[in-house]
Amino acid sequence: MAAGMEGPRLREPAFGLAGLAPREVCSIREKIDLEIRIREGIWKLLSLSTQKDQVLLAVKNLMVCNSRIMAYTSELRKLEEKIANQTGRCSVDGTQGLIHASDVNFENKERTPCKGKVAISDIRIPLMWKDSDHFSYKEGSPRYAIFCLFKMETEVFDTDMIIVDKTITDICFENITIFHEAGPDFQIKVEVYSCCAQESSITNTPKKLAKKLKTSISKATGKKIHSVFQDENHEASLFLSSTVPGAKYNLLAHTTLTLESAEDSFKTHNLSINGNEESSYWLPLFGNMCCRLVAQPTCMAEDAFAGFLNQQQIIDDLTSWRRLYCVLRGGKFFCYYGPEEIEAKVEPALIVPIHKETRIRAMDKDAKKRIHNFSVINPVAGQSITHIFSVDSKEDLQKWMEAFWQHFFDLSQWKHCCEELMKIEIMSPRKPPLFLTKEATSVYHDMSIDSPMKLESLSDIIQNKIEETNGQFLIDKGCIVPGTIKNGSCLDLETTHVSNG
């Protein structure tokens, strides 16, 4: 590669000399073994659990482990089939996987779209209680443990478990889940699970069950669990995580999110609901889920290619060239005077849009002068605006042409997600909302009906009270005695003496 050139090399077949597939197989097997060990540990913890929340959380984690093992096992089988089909196809001289740029037809080349990040957050699932149930809530009424699973290929994520009763009008999950290796054809399966969390149904778990769980764990457990997933009926394995009486989660609702669902704002999605009023886990869902699904393709977030180019300028019929550092990213061709301007956040000297109407053409080459040019043509208001660039070598020209064609393909596959970069907002750690830290029946007792619309600090409130009562407020509260007010503050009587004179 010529000096100053940067960017990805031409992509090679997925199963080249690097032995990518065997490494992936080993990696997946290690992940399966890890999940089996985690699952065994959860069973041990479950055998010692006595609190209802502990049992509910442990059973939930078992389901997550089961789902991950199933996903890994499915992917493992696919990879093993690929390796089997690939056997015998490698050329004897070992040249398979080497690509010569001069032999590539950039326009008709079979391509794979770039990966990207997909984030789902701020999930809200409205409930539709009857007025008689919602407003006449009584202590001891049924409560439900709810959580969500998000599945995409081998990646399985879960939300926090929350407790819902008839005073709750919306099921809210504050988690943000990010899939880092999503393709434009991604499908995220969203599954909502529910379990009736009544005190009697969980805390009265027979002691025999706990003893059985504790004594049944052995070194052979992993092999037994693994054998279950080798069976054709993978769904049967899910029942292993629901064997605790009174702590069985059931699928309450589900939906599938795709690229068309992605939008840089909140959007409502339909839910498919399972069960009915007779089911112990049933909740009166409205049938919709509101969430924020953001897709961030790599071609939008990272540089697709970068390097120095010479740009042609024609001023007063005189042709000149200027040296620019050019970056292809996010449907635009950014041109700077140097790479240091990017770090300094200097405005580019030139920005050329790259979209489906753009035409990239390799121009006639001057073999004697060794000049290799390409033009970027954009239609604007019925006319064409052309920018001409020169590269240093034939190899550089081919690399730029490949980068442009790959970028065109990525933009076409990620569709509307390439119109503007969607931001993934990572929430900073914070205290849980008031409604999640207090019992539902006591929240409103702690709220002041005549509280000001604008929040005030504690010192402001005290100062206002002092001014309104001429200091009598603090005397009535027993905070001070006459003569100990200083700038509206309460002074420590043991360490501070204020004379009345």
Side-chain angles (χ1 to χ4, degrees):
M1 183 177 292
M5 292 295 296
E6 300 176 8
R9 295 181 181 275
L10 300 184
R11 300 184 184 183
E12 298 182 357
F15 300 97
L17 298 175
L20 178 61
R23 289 203 301 270
E24 287 185 347
V25 168
C26 293
S27 175
I28 292 177
R29 286 176 177 169
E30 290 176 356
K31 292 177 180 178
I32 292 176
D33 292 338
L34 175 61
E35 292 297 329
I36 289 175
R37 291 195 297 270
I38 293 175
R39 190 181 192 284
E40 183 175 344
I42 295 173
W43 274 114
K44 291 180 179 180
L45 291 175
L46 183 58
S47 68
L48 302 175
S49 299
T50 58
Q51 302 297 321
K52 63 175 181 177
D53 290 346
Q54 294 174 339
V55 175
L56 289 169
L57 188 59
V59 174
K60 172 213 166 196
N61 291 335
L62 285 174
M63 292 188 67
V64 176
C65 282
N66 277 343
S67 296
R68 286 176 178 160
I69 295 174
M70 289 174 60
Y72 291 145
T73 304
S74 176
E75 183 66 16
L76 181 61
R77 288 180 174 175
K78 292 179 182 178
L79 284 175
E80 289 174 342
E81 289 177 0
K82 283 186 178 181
I83 295 175
N85 294 334
Q86 194 73 13
T87 303
R89 295 185 182 179
C90 295
S91 56
V92 178
D93 60 3
T95 58
Q96 182 182 9
L98 297 179
I99 297 179
H100 301 281
S102 59
D103 300 330
V104 176
N105 185 323
F106 298 113
E107 184 174 0
N108 298 323
K109 177 183 175 182
E110 183 178 350
R111 299 181 181 278
T112 301
C114 68
K115 298 293 186 179
K117 295 180 181 179
V118 176
I120 180 172
S121 61
D122 301 295
I123 296 176
R124 302 291 185 269
I125 303 176
L127 297 173
M128 194 169 53
W129 298 106
K130 297 178 181 178
D131 290 345
S132 57
D133 292 335
H134 178 65
F135 293 105
S136 60
Y137 173 79
K138 297 180 181 179
E139 294 290 343
S141 296
R143 307 174 74 210
Y144 303 87
I146 311 291
F147 75 95
C148 290
L149 277 185
F150 307 118
K151 302 177 181 179
M152 189 189 74
E153 298 179 353
T154 60
E155 294 185 281
V156 178
F157 297 101
D158 61 317
T159 65
D160 295 332
M161 180 192 73
I162 64 174
I163 302 298
V164 174
D165 57 33
K166 293 181 180 180
T167 63
I168 304 298
T169 58
D170 294 272
I171 303 174
C172 303
F173 296 99
E174 303 297 331
N175 307 75
I176 177 169
T177 301
I178 302 177
F179 295 90
H180 292 272
E181 292 293 326
D185 59 344
F186 71 86
Q187 291 186 337
I188 300 178
K189 296 181 180 179
V190 181
E191 299 176 346
V192 185
Y193 287 90
S194 172
C195 172
C196 184
Q198 285 181 288
E199 187 79 25
S200 59
S201 64
I202 296 177
T203 56
N204 292 336
T205 301
K207 294 182 178 180
K208 292 183 179 180
L209 174 63
K211 183 177 180 181
K212 181 180 178 180
L213 292 175
K214 185 175 182 180
T215 57
S216 63
I217 300 299
S218 65
K219 294 182 178 179
T221 301
K223 295 182 179 180
K224 292 180 181 179
I225 296 175
H226 188 267
S227 65
V228 172
F229 291 100
Q230 297 301 319
D231 297 336
E232 292 298 326
N233 184 13
H234 293 310
E235 298 298 329
S237 61
L238 282 178
F239 289 102
L240 291 175
S241 63
S242 305
T243 56
V244 179
K248 180 181 179 181
Y249 285 94
N250 291 272
L251 182 62
L252 178 64
H254 62 93
T255 189
T256 301
L257 304 178
T258 61
L259 182 67
E260 287 68 28
S261 307
E263 190 172 321
D264 200 10
S265 62
F266 292 97
K267 191 174 181 180
T268 301
H269 310 275
N270 293 329
L271 286 175
S272 298
I273 302 175
N274 291 355
N276 51 52
E277 294 186 15
E278 303 300 324
S279 305
S280 61
Y281 60 88
W282 187 80
L283 284 171
L285 301 184
F286 194 76
N288 299 105
M289 178 189 76
C290 181
C291 70
R292 185 171 180 261
L293 182 70
V294 172
Q296 194 178 85
T298 301
C299 63
M300 292 292 292
E302 300 178 8
D303 296 347
F305 205 78
F308 280 99
L309 294 172
N310 299 311
Q311 189 230 344
Q312 185 185 81
Q313 289 184 302
I314 300 179
I315 303 176
D316 296 333
D317 295 330
L318 296 177
T319 302
S320 62
W321 297 84
R322 60 176 177 175
R323 189 76 167 170
L324 297 173
Y325 185 80
C326 303
V327 178
L328 179 62
R329 181 182 71 247
K332 289 184 175 61
F333 198 44
F334 300 95
C335 302
Y336 302 87
Y337 288 106
E340 63 278 358
E341 291 188 349
I342 300 177
E343 298 181 3
K345 297 182 179 181
V346 177
E347 287 294 321
L350 175 67
I351 299 178
V352 181
I354 304 294
H355 48 72
K356 62 181 181 180
E357 302 296 333
T358 304
R359 297 293 178 264
I360 309 292
R361 293 178 181 174
M363 304 178 66
D364 294 337
K365 311 174 186 64
D366 189 331
K368 295 181 179 179
K369 295 182 179 180
R370 297 181 180 180
I371 297 176
H372 305 280
N373 300 345
F374 67 88
S375 62
V376 182
I377 306 171
N378 279 305
V380 177
Q383 298 181 347
S384 296
I385 297 180
T386 303
H387 296 276
I388 299 177
F389 296 89
S390 171
V391 297
D392 296 332
S393 65
K394 180 180 178 180
E395 290 74 17
D396 289 349
L397 176 62
Q398 291 170 334
K399 290 171 183 176
W400 274 107
M401 295 300 290
E402 164 62 18
F404 277 116
W405 280 109
Q406 180 64 42
H407 202 60
F408 283 133
F409 182 74
D410 293 337
L411 297 179
S412 68
Q413 297 301 300
W414 283 97
K415 301 178 180 177
H416 65 283
C417 297
C418 292
E419 294 176 0
E420 188 175 351
L421 179 64
M422 300 182 186
K423 295 183 179 180
I424 298 177
E425 298 178 359
I426 305 298
M427 295 181 295
S428 59
R430 61 182 182 182
K431 293 183 179 180
L434 176 65
F435 287 86
L436 298 181
T437 58
K438 291 181 176 290
E439 294 292 333
T441 55
S442 64
V443 170
Y444 296 100
H445 296 167
D446 296 336
M447 297 178 65
S448 174
I449 301 301
D450 59 348
S451 59
M453 293 300 294
K454 182 178 179 181
L455 297 179
E456 298 179 276
S457 66
L458 181 60
S459 59
D460 291 336
I461 295 174
I462 294 177
Q463 182 67 34
N464 291 338
K465 287 291 184 180
I466 293 174
E467 294 175 356
E468 291 173 3
T469 62
N470 196 24
Q472 189 65 31
F473 166 75
L474 296 178
I475 297 175
D476 294 341
K477 295 295 182 181
C479 179
I480 61 171
V481 294
T484 59
I485 299 178
K486 183 177 182 181
N487 296 328
S489 302
C490 294
L491 304 180
D492 189 342
L493 297 179
E494 296 180 0
T495 59
T496 306
H497 175 74
V498 181
S499 66
N500 296 325

